[in-house]
Amino acid sequence: MTLSSLAHKNGVIDFSNLNAETSYSKMGAYAQSKLECLMFAYELEHRLRKDSNSKNIISLGAHPGVALTNLFHYGPKVLQWLSPLFGFMMNSQENAARPNIVAALDENVKGGQYYGPTGKREMKGIAGVVDSSELSKDTDIADKLWNELQKLVKFSYL
């Protein structure tokens, strides 16, 4: 299970700045990292299906929706002030964990699925299978990202 976020929808993969060494923005780096996490989950599933020794292993992605956590303390000041006022639109921390739990226990789970809240804009609601951005499903970028990350961590897998 790989944890992503709704922020993945705002992410872009900057191959010239994967480690945010040449420029950095909190929200940009967060969105890119969550897009990378989701692309990793999809690419891992793709590679597991090609490996005959991995038939009983699957890869999934999940996101918590929007939960009132301390993450808002690190965002823009306006979010720090407004987030408590809009708590009714957000998941509790306990409900934010449900997509991971549902994915882990779902008898009908299939590799490559993405779980999150199924309510309005996936911010909160009953946990289930949700869709992700078109960019997150780009297999060419995912393959390139996989290979770049293997170089960065000096470890090759599948």
PDB file of all heavy atoms in Angstrom, residues 90-119:
ATOM      1  N   MET A  90     -14.270  18.095   6.531  1.00  0.00           N
ATOM      2  CA  MET A  90     -13.090  17.239   6.531  1.00  0.00           C
ATOM      3  C   MET A  90     -13.336  15.959   7.316  1.00  0.00           C
ATOM      4  O   MET A  90     -14.191  15.893   8.191  1.00  0.00           O
ATOM      5  CB  MET A  90     -11.917  17.990   7.153  1.00  0.00           C
ATOM      6  CG  MET A  90     -11.546  19.252   6.433  1.00  0.00           C
ATOM      7  SD  MET A  90     -10.181  20.067   7.270  1.00  0.00           S
ATOM      8  CE  MET A  90     -10.272  21.693   6.562  1.00  0.00           C
ATOM      9  N   ASN A  91     -12.532  14.963   7.008  1.00  0.00           N
ATOM     10  CA  ASN A  91     -12.547  13.710   7.747  1.00  0.00           C
ATOM     11  C   ASN A  91     -11.929  13.907   9.120  1.00  0.00           C
ATOM     12  O   ASN A  91     -11.015  14.719   9.297  1.00  0.00           O
ATOM     13  CB  ASN A  91     -11.679  12.665   7.035  1.00  0.00           C
ATOM     14  CG  ASN A  91     -12.438  11.862   6.022  1.00  0.00           C
ATOM     15  OD1 ASN A  91     -13.601  11.551   6.217  1.00  0.00           O
ATOM     16  ND2 ASN A  91     -11.778  11.517   4.940  1.00  0.00           N
ATOM     17  N   SER A  92     -12.378  13.121  10.058  1.00  0.00           N
ATOM     18  CA  SER A  92     -11.650  13.009  11.320  1.00  0.00           C
ATOM     19  C   SER A  92     -10.362  12.240  11.017  1.00  0.00           C
ATOM     20  O   SER A  92     -10.242  11.594   9.970  1.00  0.00           O
ATOM     21  CB  SER A  92     -12.485  12.252  12.350  1.00  0.00           C
ATOM     22  OG  SER A  92     -12.654  10.900  11.922  1.00  0.00           O
ATOM     23  N   GLN A  93      -9.423  12.283  11.901  1.00  0.00           N
ATOM     24  CA  GLN A  93      -8.192  11.525  11.690  1.00  0.00           C
ATOM     25  C   GLN A  93      -8.491  10.032  11.605  1.00  0.00           C
ATOM     26  O   GLN A  93      -7.881   9.314  10.812  1.00  0.00           O
ATOM     27  CB  GLN A  93      -7.192  11.820  12.802  1.00  0.00           C
ATOM     28  CG  GLN A  93      -6.681  13.249  12.732  1.00  0.00           C
ATOM     29  CD  GLN A  93      -5.714  13.595  13.841  1.00  0.00           C
ATOM     30  OE1 GLN A  93      -5.071  12.715  14.411  1.00  0.00           O
ATOM     31  NE2 GLN A  93      -5.603  14.867  14.145  1.00  0.00           N
ATOM     32  N   GLU A  94      -9.455   9.567  12.382  1.00  0.00           N
ATOM     33  CA  GLU A  94      -9.823   8.151  12.350  1.00  0.00           C
ATOM     34  C   GLU A  94     -10.421   7.767  10.990  1.00  0.00           C
ATOM     35  O   GLU A  94     -10.080   6.744  10.409  1.00  0.00           O
ATOM     36  CB  GLU A  94     -10.820   7.824  13.475  1.00  0.00           C
ATOM     37  CG  GLU A  94     -10.240   7.925  14.859  1.00  0.00           C
ATOM     38  CD  GLU A  94     -10.161   9.368  15.397  1.00  0.00           C
ATOM     39  OE1 GLU A  94     -10.763  10.303  14.788  1.00  0.00           O
ATOM     40  OE2 GLU A  94      -9.474   9.570  16.402  1.00  0.00           O
ATOM     41  N   ASN A  95     -11.323   8.603  10.471  1.00  0.00           N
ATOM     42  CA  ASN A  95     -11.935   8.304   9.171  1.00  0.00           C
ATOM     43  C   ASN A  95     -10.935   8.436   8.034  1.00  0.00           C
ATOM     44  O   ASN A  95     -11.069   7.773   7.003  1.00  0.00           O
ATOM     45  CB  ASN A  95     -13.143   9.200   8.919  1.00  0.00           C
ATOM     46  CG  ASN A  95     -14.352   8.758   9.704  1.00  0.00           C
ATOM     47  OD1 ASN A  95     -14.448   7.611  10.132  1.00  0.00           O
ATOM     48  ND2 ASN A  95     -15.285   9.660   9.911  1.00  0.00           N
ATOM     49  N   ALA A  96      -9.928   9.279   8.202  1.00  0.00           N
ATOM     50  CA  ALA A  96      -8.899   9.436   7.171  1.00  0.00           C
ATOM     51  C   ALA A  96      -8.094   8.149   7.001  1.00  0.00           C
ATOM     52  O   ALA A  96      -7.545   7.900   5.930  1.00  0.00           O
ATOM     53  CB  ALA A  96      -7.978  10.600   7.520  1.00  0.00           C
ATOM     54  N   ALA A  97      -8.037   7.323   8.023  1.00  0.00           N
ATOM     55  CA  ALA A  97      -7.310   6.053   7.939  1.00  0.00           C
ATOM     56  C   ALA A  97      -8.120   4.959   7.243  1.00  0.00           C
ATOM     57  O   ALA A  97      -7.554   3.941   6.819  1.00  0.00           O
ATOM     58  CB  ALA A  97      -6.919   5.589   9.343  1.00  0.00           C
ATOM     59  N   ARG A  98      -9.398   5.156   7.088  1.00  0.00           N
ATOM     60  CA  ARG A  98     -10.270   4.105   6.541  1.00  0.00           C
ATOM     61  C   ARG A  98      -9.930   3.637   5.129  1.00  0.00           C
ATOM     62  O   ARG A  98     -10.023   2.443   4.850  1.00  0.00           O
ATOM     63  CB  ARG A  98     -11.731   4.519   6.630  1.00  0.00           C
ATOM     64  CG  ARG A  98     -12.209   4.488   8.058  1.00  0.00           C
ATOM     65  CD  ARG A  98     -13.662   4.852   8.175  1.00  0.00           C
ATOM     66  NE  ARG A  98     -13.982   5.003   9.568  1.00  0.00           N
ATOM     67  CZ  ARG A  98     -14.849   4.241  10.214  1.00  0.00           C
ATOM     68  NH1 ARG A  98     -15.483   3.286   9.575  1.00  0.00           N
ATOM     69  NH2 ARG A  98     -15.078   4.441  11.483  1.00  0.00           N
ATOM     70  N   PRO A  99      -9.552   4.514   4.195  1.00  0.00           N
ATOM     71  CA  PRO A  99      -9.219   3.993   2.865  1.00  0.00           C
ATOM     72  C   PRO A  99      -8.107   2.938   2.898  1.00  0.00           C
ATOM     73  O   PRO A  99      -8.189   1.937   2.185  1.00  0.00           O
ATOM     74  CB  PRO A  99      -8.793   5.245   2.079  1.00  0.00           C
ATOM     75  CG  PRO A  99      -9.577   6.339   2.716  1.00  0.00           C
ATOM     76  CD  PRO A  99      -9.572   5.997   4.192  1.00  0.00           C
ATOM     77  N   ASN A 100      -7.106   3.134   3.731  1.00  0.00           N
ATOM     78  CA  ASN A 100      -6.038   2.134   3.851  1.00  0.00           C
ATOM     79  C   ASN A 100      -6.587   0.831   4.415  1.00  0.00           C
ATOM     80  O   ASN A 100      -6.246  -0.253   3.928  1.00  0.00           O
ATOM     81  CB  ASN A 100      -4.929   2.631   4.781  1.00  0.00           C
ATOM     82  CG  ASN A 100      -4.085   3.693   4.159  1.00  0.00           C
ATOM     83  OD1 ASN A 100      -4.465   4.317   3.185  1.00  0.00           O
ATOM     84  ND2 ASN A 100      -2.928   3.930   4.731  1.00  0.00           N
ATOM     85  N   ILE A 101      -7.422   0.932   5.412  1.00  0.00           N
ATOM     86  CA  ILE A 101      -7.969  -0.261   6.065  1.00  0.00           C
ATOM     87  C   ILE A 101      -8.898  -1.007   5.112  1.00  0.00           C
ATOM     88  O   ILE A 101      -8.817  -2.233   4.978  1.00  0.00           O
ATOM     89  CB  ILE A 101      -8.692   0.127   7.373  1.00  0.00           C
ATOM     90  CG1 ILE A 101      -7.671   0.690   8.375  1.00  0.00           C
ATOM     91  CG2 ILE A 101      -9.443  -1.059   7.962  1.00  0.00           C
ATOM     92  CD1 ILE A 101      -8.281   1.406   9.559  1.00  0.00           C
ATOM     93  N   VAL A 102      -9.777  -0.271   4.439  1.00  0.00           N
ATOM     94  CA  VAL A 102     -10.699  -0.900   3.487  1.00  0.00           C
ATOM     95  C   VAL A 102      -9.915  -1.594   2.376  1.00  0.00           C
ATOM     96  O   VAL A 102     -10.215  -2.724   2.004  1.00  0.00           O
ATOM     97  CB  VAL A 102     -11.701   0.128   2.927  1.00  0.00           C
ATOM     98  CG1 VAL A 102     -12.485  -0.449   1.756  1.00  0.00           C
ATOM     99  CG2 VAL A 102     -12.649   0.590   4.027  1.00  0.00           C
ATOM    100  N   ALA A 103      -8.898  -0.929   1.851  1.00  0.00           N
ATOM    101  CA  ALA A 103      -8.088  -1.535   0.785  1.00  0.00           C
ATOM    102  C   ALA A 103      -7.419  -2.816   1.268  1.00  0.00           C
ATOM    103  O   ALA A 103      -7.368  -3.804   0.542  1.00  0.00           O
ATOM    104  CB  ALA A 103      -7.044  -0.545   0.285  1.00  0.00           C
ATOM    105  N   ALA A 104      -6.931  -2.794   2.480  1.00  0.00           N
ATOM    106  CA  ALA A 104      -6.240  -3.973   3.020  1.00  0.00           C
ATOM    107  C   ALA A 104      -7.194  -5.136   3.260  1.00  0.00           C
ATOM    108  O   ALA A 104      -6.785  -6.299   3.179  1.00  0.00           O
ATOM    109  CB  ALA A 104      -5.525  -3.604   4.320  1.00  0.00           C
ATOM    110  N   LEU A 105      -8.454  -4.841   3.539  1.00  0.00           N
ATOM    111  CA  LEU A 105      -9.401  -5.901   3.902  1.00  0.00           C
ATOM    112  C   LEU A 105     -10.435  -6.218   2.825  1.00  0.00           C
ATOM    113  O   LEU A 105     -11.191  -7.177   2.966  1.00  0.00           O
ATOM    114  CB  LEU A 105     -10.132  -5.504   5.196  1.00  0.00           C
ATOM    115  CG  LEU A 105      -9.236  -5.289   6.411  1.00  0.00           C
ATOM    116  CD1 LEU A 105     -10.064  -4.798   7.594  1.00  0.00           C
ATOM    117  CD2 LEU A 105      -8.476  -6.555   6.764  1.00  0.00           C
ATOM    118  N   ASP A 106     -10.475  -5.452   1.754  1.00  0.00           N
ATOM    119  CA  ASP A 106     -11.469  -5.635   0.698  1.00  0.00           C
ATOM    120  C   ASP A 106     -11.261  -6.980  -0.003  1.00  0.00           C
ATOM    121  O   ASP A 106     -10.213  -7.237  -0.578  1.00  0.00           O
ATOM    122  CB  ASP A 106     -11.360  -4.499  -0.317  1.00  0.00           C
ATOM    123  CG  ASP A 106     -12.472  -4.496  -1.355  1.00  0.00           C
ATOM    124  OD1 ASP A 106     -13.206  -5.500  -1.467  1.00  0.00           O
ATOM    125  OD2 ASP A 106     -12.596  -3.484  -2.062  1.00  0.00           O
ATOM    126  N   GLU A 107     -12.276  -7.839   0.058  1.00  0.00           N
ATOM    127  CA  GLU A 107     -12.179  -9.157  -0.571  1.00  0.00           C
ATOM    128  C   GLU A 107     -12.133  -9.075  -2.093  1.00  0.00           C
ATOM    129  O   GLU A 107     -11.707 -10.005  -2.758  1.00  0.00           O
ATOM    130  CB  GLU A 107     -13.358 -10.030  -0.136  1.00  0.00           C
ATOM    131  CG  GLU A 107     -13.319 -10.392   1.338  1.00  0.00           C
ATOM    132  CD  GLU A 107     -14.526 -11.206   1.766  1.00  0.00           C
ATOM    133  OE1 GLU A 107     -15.381 -11.527   0.911  1.00  0.00           O
ATOM    134  OE2 GLU A 107     -14.616 -11.518   2.964  1.00  0.00           O
ATOM    135  N   ASN A 108     -12.592  -7.970  -2.652  1.00  0.00           N
ATOM    136  CA  ASN A 108     -12.629  -7.811  -4.103  1.00  0.00           C
ATOM    137  C   ASN A 108     -11.493  -6.935  -4.630  1.00  0.00           C
ATOM    138  O   ASN A 108     -11.541  -6.491  -5.779  1.00  0.00           O
ATOM    139  CB  ASN A 108     -13.975  -7.217  -4.526  1.00  0.00           C
ATOM    140  CG  ASN A 108     -15.122  -8.126  -4.163  1.00  0.00           C
ATOM    141  OD1 ASN A 108     -15.085  -9.322  -4.440  1.00  0.00           O
ATOM    142  ND2 ASN A 108     -16.125  -7.584  -3.505  1.00  0.00           N
ATOM    143  N   VAL A 109     -10.507  -6.677  -3.809  1.00  0.00           N
ATOM    144  CA  VAL A 109      -9.411  -5.789  -4.202  1.00  0.00           C
ATOM    145  C   VAL A 109      -8.660  -6.360  -5.401  1.00  0.00           C
ATOM    146  O   VAL A 109      -8.509  -7.566  -5.546  1.00  0.00           O
ATOM    147  CB  VAL A 109      -8.447  -5.546  -3.009  1.00  0.00           C
ATOM    148  CG1 VAL A 109      -7.691  -6.816  -2.646  1.00  0.00           C
ATOM    149  CG2 VAL A 109      -7.484  -4.426  -3.315  1.00  0.00           C
ATOM    150  N   LYS A 110      -8.239  -5.445  -6.282  1.00  0.00           N
ATOM    151  CA  LYS A 110      -7.434  -5.821  -7.443  1.00  0.00           C
ATOM    152  C   LYS A 110      -6.212  -4.931  -7.456  1.00  0.00           C
ATOM    153  O   LYS A 110      -6.292  -3.741  -7.140  1.00  0.00           O
ATOM    154  CB  LYS A 110      -8.235  -5.622  -8.733  1.00  0.00           C
ATOM    155  CG  LYS A 110      -9.420  -6.553  -8.870  1.00  0.00           C
ATOM    156  CD  LYS A 110     -10.153  -6.294 -10.185  1.00  0.00           C
ATOM    157  CE  LYS A 110     -11.346  -7.197 -10.321  1.00  0.00           C
ATOM    158  NZ  LYS A 110     -12.547  -6.674  -9.732  1.00  0.00           N
ATOM    159  N   GLY A 111      -5.091  -5.492  -7.856  1.00  0.00           N
ATOM    160  CA  GLY A 111      -3.870  -4.720  -7.945  1.00  0.00           C
ATOM    161  C   GLY A 111      -4.046  -3.508  -8.840  1.00  0.00           C
ATOM    162  O   GLY A 111      -4.770  -3.555  -9.837  1.00  0.00           O
ATOM    163  N   GLY A 112      -3.407  -2.424  -8.461  1.00  0.00           N
ATOM    164  CA  GLY A 112      -3.471  -1.209  -9.247  1.00  0.00           C
ATOM    165  C   GLY A 112      -4.640  -0.313  -8.903  1.00  0.00           C
ATOM    166  O   GLY A 112      -4.810   0.742  -9.515  1.00  0.00           O
ATOM    167  N   GLN A 113      -5.444  -0.692  -7.910  1.00  0.00           N
ATOM    168  CA  GLN A 113      -6.562   0.161  -7.535  1.00  0.00           C
ATOM    169  C   GLN A 113      -6.094   1.279  -6.605  1.00  0.00           C
ATOM    170  O   GLN A 113      -5.049   1.191  -5.956  1.00  0.00           O
ATOM    171  CB  GLN A 113      -7.672  -0.654  -6.863  1.00  0.00           C
ATOM    172  CG  GLN A 113      -8.403  -1.548  -7.848  1.00  0.00           C
ATOM    173  CD  GLN A 113      -9.517  -2.340  -7.215  1.00  0.00           C
ATOM    174  OE1 GLN A 113      -9.356  -2.929  -6.146  1.00  0.00           O
ATOM    175  NE2 GLN A 113     -10.661  -2.369  -7.885  1.00  0.00           N
ATOM    176  N   TYR A 114      -6.907   2.315  -6.536  1.00  0.00           N
ATOM    177  CA  TYR A 114      -6.629   3.499  -5.732  1.00  0.00           C
ATOM    178  C   TYR A 114      -7.840   3.742  -4.836  1.00  0.00           C
ATOM    179  O   TYR A 114      -8.961   3.856  -5.337  1.00  0.00           O
ATOM    180  CB  TYR A 114      -6.385   4.681  -6.671  1.00  0.00           C
ATOM    181  CG  TYR A 114      -5.965   5.972  -6.024  1.00  0.00           C
ATOM    182  CD1 TYR A 114      -4.979   6.019  -5.043  1.00  0.00           C
ATOM    183  CD2 TYR A 114      -6.539   7.174  -6.435  1.00  0.00           C
ATOM    184  CE1 TYR A 114      -4.586   7.235  -4.495  1.00  0.00           C
ATOM    185  CE2 TYR A 114      -6.146   8.388  -5.893  1.00  0.00           C
ATOM    186  CZ  TYR A 114      -5.168   8.400  -4.917  1.00  0.00           C
ATOM    187  OH  TYR A 114      -4.767   9.605  -4.366  1.00  0.00           O
ATOM    188  N   TYR A 115      -7.630   3.777  -3.541  1.00  0.00           N
ATOM    189  CA  TYR A 115      -8.711   3.919  -2.569  1.00  0.00           C
ATOM    190  C   TYR A 115      -8.689   5.300  -1.925  1.00  0.00           C
ATOM    191  O   TYR A 115      -7.623   5.863  -1.690  1.00  0.00           O
ATOM    192  CB  TYR A 115      -8.581   2.863  -1.470  1.00  0.00           C
ATOM    193  CG  TYR A 115      -9.026   1.488  -1.886  1.00  0.00           C
ATOM    194  CD1 TYR A 115      -8.260   0.699  -2.728  1.00  0.00           C
ATOM    195  CD2 TYR A 115     -10.242   0.978  -1.450  1.00  0.00           C
ATOM    196  CE1 TYR A 115      -8.679  -0.569  -3.115  1.00  0.00           C
ATOM    197  CE2 TYR A 115     -10.676  -0.284  -1.838  1.00  0.00           C
ATOM    198  CZ  TYR A 115      -9.885  -1.057  -2.663  1.00  0.00           C
ATOM    199  OH  TYR A 115     -10.304  -2.291  -3.050  1.00  0.00           O
ATOM    200  N   GLY A 116      -9.862   5.800  -1.639  1.00  0.00           N
ATOM    201  CA  GLY A 116     -10.000   7.073  -0.949  1.00  0.00           C
ATOM    202  C   GLY A 116     -11.454   7.276  -0.566  1.00  0.00           C
ATOM    203  O   GLY A 116     -12.305   6.427  -0.829  1.00  0.00           O
ATOM    204  N   PRO A 117     -11.768   8.404   0.043  1.00  0.00           N
ATOM    205  CA  PRO A 117     -13.166   8.709   0.360  1.00  0.00           C
ATOM    206  C   PRO A 117     -13.963   8.902  -0.925  1.00  0.00           C
ATOM    207  O   PRO A 117     -13.472   9.521  -1.873  1.00  0.00           O
ATOM    208  CB  PRO A 117     -13.082  10.033   1.139  1.00  0.00           C
ATOM    209  CG  PRO A 117     -11.667  10.140   1.586  1.00  0.00           C
ATOM    210  CD  PRO A 117     -10.854   9.422   0.563  1.00  0.00           C
ATOM    211  N   THR A 118     -15.172   8.403  -0.963  1.00  0.00           N
ATOM    212  CA  THR A 118     -15.972   8.467  -2.180  1.00  0.00           C
ATOM    213  C   THR A 118     -16.981   9.619  -2.168  1.00  0.00           C
ATOM    214  O   THR A 118     -17.779   9.741  -3.085  1.00  0.00           O
ATOM    215  CB  THR A 118     -16.718   7.136  -2.414  1.00  0.00           C
ATOM    216  OG1 THR A 118     -17.548   6.878  -1.271  1.00  0.00           O
ATOM    217  CG2 THR A 118     -15.740   5.995  -2.623  1.00  0.00           C
ATOM    218  N   GLY A 119     -16.917  10.456  -1.164  1.00  0.00           N
ATOM    219  CA  GLY A 119     -17.825  11.600  -1.090  1.00  0.00           C
ATOM    220  C   GLY A 119     -17.405  12.717  -2.019  1.00  0.00           C
ATOM    221  O   GLY A 119     -16.491  12.581  -2.839  1.00  0.00           O
TER     222      GLY A 119
END
